[in-house]
Amino acid sequence: MRRALTAVLGAATLLLAVLVAGAPPASAASTLKEAAAATGRVFGTAAAQSHMGESAYVNTLNREFNQLTPENEMKWETTEPSRDSFNYGAADQLVSHAQSQGMAVRGHTLVWHSQLPDWVEGISSRTELLDVMRNHISNVAGHFRGDIEYWDVVNEAFQDGSGARRDTVFQRVIGDGYIEEAFRAARAADPGAELCYNDYNIDGRNAKSDAVYAMVQDFKRRGVPIDCVGLQAHLIVGSIPGDIQANIQRFADLGVNVYITELDIRMQTPPDSQKLAQQASDYRAVTSACLAVSACKGITVWGVTDKYSWVPDVFEGEGAALLFDDNYNKKPAYDATLEALGGDPGDPGDPGDPGDGSVTCTYTRTSQWNDGFNGQVTITAGSSAVSSWTAVLTMNSGQDVQALWNGTPTRDGNVVTVKPVGWNSNLAAGASASFGFTASAPDGDVSDPALACSTP
């Protein structure tokens, strides 16, 4: 089975580390998964089968992550849309891809009140709903038995604020015991998987996380099979709980592993250099909090790229929450996270060569409205590395740049000169950096500005 193979590979890695002890230290890891693996952890992402045909998506997924969570493909409405009719096609494809890349798989999720078929919502008999829930868990967890390292058995069962049980069909019809029953059914279906309770807004200590803590404490005391707690960590820039490390530690002290399972840190859009710097600091803080607790075994971000993040669809005017932007460029948060893991973002160019190559640039209009538009400029190094770059936008009559991110602008009339913000200065041969901007056009002229670029 795949878990056995993973254990063998892990032992081989440890043996290799012992054999090379005393040798000169290797260079620091340059990807998230390599840096996390060096600490004995995973660094994962949620992935969607619908995006697996996009090469940039797959390349980034494969390069950076060693754990995969199917974003929607294992939820009840997908796996059992009608009673006793199971569909595993999309989930099987993601699991197969993960296995081909040596990634661990997190099963998400067996019991959740959302994305639940109407036929389940309509059940009013306790005995019937218990049988349906156990049957669902038996079939889904049984189908993937041996392929899943960790299951989110029950998801989001507590309310914000009070910490009371959430009003769901499972709570109303079965009662408080449904969570315990779900965990017992999951253990029977796949004895080798870690079984987790997963929720949001339990990242710091509050009434909700206290309620989850009390449940886990009770389960451990009574022998209910629970192995881990997932802190989703859907967070806001500048608002990271100050006690997140202490909260991770108190769960760990109960004898369970802890995972950061759905990390994203959203901001008001458009992003700018200040927001991106704060986001980088916040990602560093969350990563460091996990690393400080030995039982915190992994971090999963909720998506590969801002391009497909759930955030803008749910939180109006917010987004840019992940480590890679819409064009798969690494954001400051990526470097901060990698450094917190002990990796090294490095210098894309030759450290001994300041870089004297040439650059080209392209302009893309990303959105437009009656009196304004958003644009993006991508700067690409030629056959030699460059140490910096300059882009010059000549705006048309009446146009004014209202905001600009991932670049440092200066203005002279209708000419906007943009230089890097520091972290995106150095470009290896063929590598790219980009910046975006919002322009107003009160006179209605939304035509493209002129663009030129050069090296200093």
Side-chain angles (χ1 to χ4, degrees):
M1 305 296 278
R2 206 189 82 79
R3 278 201 296 268
L5 177 59
T6 300
V8 171
L9 291 174
T13 301
L14 179 60
L15 177 60
L16 180 60
V18 172
L19 290 174
V20 300
S27 58
S30 60
T31 65
L32 297 169
K33 67 179 182 182
E34 292 169 351
T39 73
R41 293 170 172 84
V42 294
F43 201 99
T45 186
Q49 180 58 32
S50 59
H51 304 320
M52 295 297 283
E54 185 175 334
S55 60
Y57 185 92
V58 175
N59 291 340
T60 306
L61 170 67
N62 293 349
R63 184 186 70 244
E64 297 291 342
F65 302 103
N66 59 358
Q67 182 262 312
L68 183 152
T69 303
E71 189 169 359
N72 293 295
E73 290 80 357
M74 290 184 178
K75 293 173 181 173
W76 199 316
E77 70 176 3
T78 301
T79 53
E80 193 184 5
S82 57
R83 191 163 181 170
D84 286 325
S85 178
F86 292 90
N87 174 21
Y88 302 116
D92 281 343
Q93 292 177 60
L94 283 176
V95 170
S96 178
H97 181 84
Q99 291 175 341
S100 74
Q101 297 296 315
M103 298 176 182
V105 180
R106 186 177 195 90
H108 181 77
T109 177
L110 293 171
V111 179
W112 187 32
H113 66 277
S114 187
Q115 293 180 251
L116 191 66
D118 290 342
W119 69 267
V120 181
E121 293 277 9
I123 298 173
S124 58
S125 162
R126 183 179 189 277
T127 300
E128 182 181 5
L129 187 56
L130 259 176
D131 287 344
V132 162
M133 184 182 74
R134 289 168 177 157
N135 182 65
H136 178 80
I137 294 170
S138 176
N139 277 274
V140 177
H143 175 82
F144 294 106
R145 179 171 176 162
D147 294 327
I148 305 294
E149 273 67 26
Y150 346 85
W151 268 111
D152 290 330
V153 178
V154 176
N155 197 47
E156 300 176 4
F158 291 85
Q159 295 180 13
D160 285 337
S162 67
R165 292 292 188 94
R166 184 187 294 273
D167 181 20
T168 70
V169 65
F170 303 105
Q171 183 66 36
R172 290 193 303 272
V173 176
I174 299 174
D176 285 350
Y178 88 88
I179 300 178
E180 177 177 338
E181 294 291 343
F183 274 86
R184 293 192 185 279
R187 177 67 87 223
D190 189 352
E194 282 191 52
L195 306 182
C196 306
Y197 176 78
N198 191 55
D199 215 326
Y200 66 93
N201 285 353
I202 62 169
D203 317 294
R205 185 159 187 172
N206 53 46
K208 186 175 184 180
S209 64
D210 285 349
V212 175
Y213 178 90
M215 180 191 71
V216 176
Q217 186 178 49
D218 173 61
F219 280 10
K220 295 298 289 185
R221 188 185 73 250
R222 293 192 296 110
V224 178
I226 186 168
D227 306 304
C228 44
V229 173
L231 314 182
Q232 290 186 11
H234 293 297
L235 302 170
I236 301 171
V237 162
S239 300
I240 306 303
D243 58 355
I244 185 170
Q245 180 180 323
N247 190 52
I248 293 171
Q249 185 65 62
R250 71 165 176 155
F251 278 107
D253 290 343
L254 293 176
V256 294
N257 289 331
V258 182
Y259 294 87
I260 307 296
T261 54
E262 303 183 20
L263 177 61
D264 49 33
I265 306 179
R266 63 187 185 270
M267 66 181 68
Q268 291 289 326
T269 54
D272 58 31
S273 58
Q274 182 177 0
K275 294 174 191 174
L276 289 167
Q278 181 62 57
Q279 183 186 58
S281 176
D282 293 342
Y283 264 99
R284 185 189 301 274
V286 174
T287 303
S288 298
C290 178
L291 290 176
V293 181
S294 60
C296 187
K297 299 297 187 181
I299 298 172
T300 301
V301 292
W302 203 245
V304 175
T305 164
D306 287 340
K307 181 179 180 180
Y308 298 125
S309 170
W310 70 293
V311 170
D313 294 333
V314 177
F315 299 97
E316 185 177 356
E318 297 182 73
L322 295 169
L323 300 177
F324 294 88
D325 69 14
D326 288 351
N327 293 296
Y328 298 94
N329 295 311
K330 298 172 182 177
K331 295 160 63 179
Y334 173 93
D335 287 351
T337 302
L338 182 58
E339 288 172 349
L341 289 167
D344 181 6
D347 181 349
D350 180 348
D353 179 359
D356 57 0
S358 61
V359 292
T360 57
C361 51
T362 57
Y363 170 77
T364 303
R365 178 169 302 206
T366 55
S367 61
Q368 178 182 322
W369 50 97
N370 289 338
D371 57 355
F373 57 94
N374 284 338
Q376 178 169 290
V377 174
T378 300
I379 301 95
T380 303
S383 58
S384 300
V386 299
S387 61
S388 190
W389 47 265
T390 301
V392 178
L393 289 163
T394 303
M395 310 304 294
N396 294 297
S397 177
Q399 296 177 351
D400 181 49
V401 173
Q402 300 287 301
L404 189 144
W405 51 97
N406 292 350
T408 303
T410 57
R411 294 174 173 83
D412 183 6
N414 67 330
V415 177
V416 181
T417 301
V418 182
K419 293 184 177 294
V421 290
W423 56 268
N424 59 359
S425 296
N426 293 289
L427 298 178
S432 298
S434 63
F435 66 87
F437 65 91
T438 298
S440 65
D443 297 335
D445 181 0
V446 293
S447 55
D448 292 347
L451 171 66
C453 58
S454 63
T455 53

